[in-house]
Amino acid sequence: MTTTGRRALLTAGVSAAAAAALSGCTSEAPGPRAPSAAEREAERVARAEAALRLRSVTTSRTLLERYDATLAAHPALAPRLGALRSSVAAHAKALGEGGTTVRPATAGPNATAAPASTAAPTATAGKAGPAPTAAPVPADPRAALGELAAAERAAADAHTTTLLTAPPEYARLLASVAAAGAAHAYLLTEGAPA
């Protein structure tokens, strides 16, 4: 082969490679890809967990509101209820860590998180959720403590029911919060005199 033949062959090879590389380029960006079955399942699981977390947080926040209402109606109970209320506030915060929103499987880098549930949780049999309106606090401090203890037991029962379908780490947290709620109920009724 002569020098001219080699140059021609080299030029033809480079030109063919460049043409092949450039022919694959288009000015249009490809549309969003469809998520795989594994991605759809992961999104479904994440949405279920976010909804579960939202119910748990709502249950704890409703209980916290009940403490606030009882303290507003009976300020003399503040020494007895202060530490328990702080504990319930910490539980509500801990239960909400990890988020209650889910990023869709097809989301790009600029996508925003979508709420796990747009409907407000409602109280139904076997499900955790707040009462539509807060019950009035009884005028008698002992009765108010009794109702607060009942609210603690209801929240503990809701957390216990929820932990059955929760992921392992979150189930452990729910079990701890439920146990604390049971202890609070005891302290509110039998643990110390009013």
Side-chain angles (χ1 to χ4, degrees), residues 62-140:
T62 301
L63 179 60
L64 185 60
E65 290 169 2
R66 187 70 187 166
Y67 268 92
D68 291 341
T70 302
L71 284 167
H74 301 287
L77 294 175
R80 184 165 179 190
L81 299 181
L84 299 176
R85 186 213 174 273
S86 295
S87 179
V88 170
H91 296 159
K93 182 180 178 191
L95 289 170
E97 290 177 356
T100 56
T101 57
V102 178
R103 182 176 295 260
T106 58
N110 296 331
T112 57
S117 174
T118 55
T122 57
T124 59
K127 300 236 177 190
T133 57
V137 177
D140 176 46

Side-chain angles (χ1 to χ4, degrees), residues 162-187:
T162 301
L163 74 84
L164 297 174
T165 58
E169 192 65 31
Y170 199 66
R172 285 187 283 276
L173 177 60
L174 285 168
S176 296
V177 171
H184 290 181
Y186 173 79
L187 292 172

Side-chain angles (χ1 to χ4, degrees), residues 23-98:
S23 67
C25 296
T26 62
S27 61
E28 295 179 29
R33 67 174 183 80
S36 68
E39 289 171 327
R40 285 190 307 271
E41 177 63 13
E43 183 177 344
R44 185 195 65 74
V45 168
R47 284 187 184 282
E49 184 178 343
L52 182 137
R53 284 180 179 273
L54 182 61
R55 285 191 309 271
S56 298
V57 168
T58 301
T59 298
S60 289
R61 286 183 182 155
T62 301
L63 179 60
L64 185 60
E65 290 169 2
R66 187 70 187 166
Y67 268 92
D68 291 341
T70 302
L71 284 167
H74 301 287
L77 294 175
R80 184 165 179 190
L81 299 181
L84 299 176
R85 186 213 174 273
S86 295
S87 179
V88 170
H91 296 159
K93 182 180 178 191
L95 289 170
E97 290 177 356

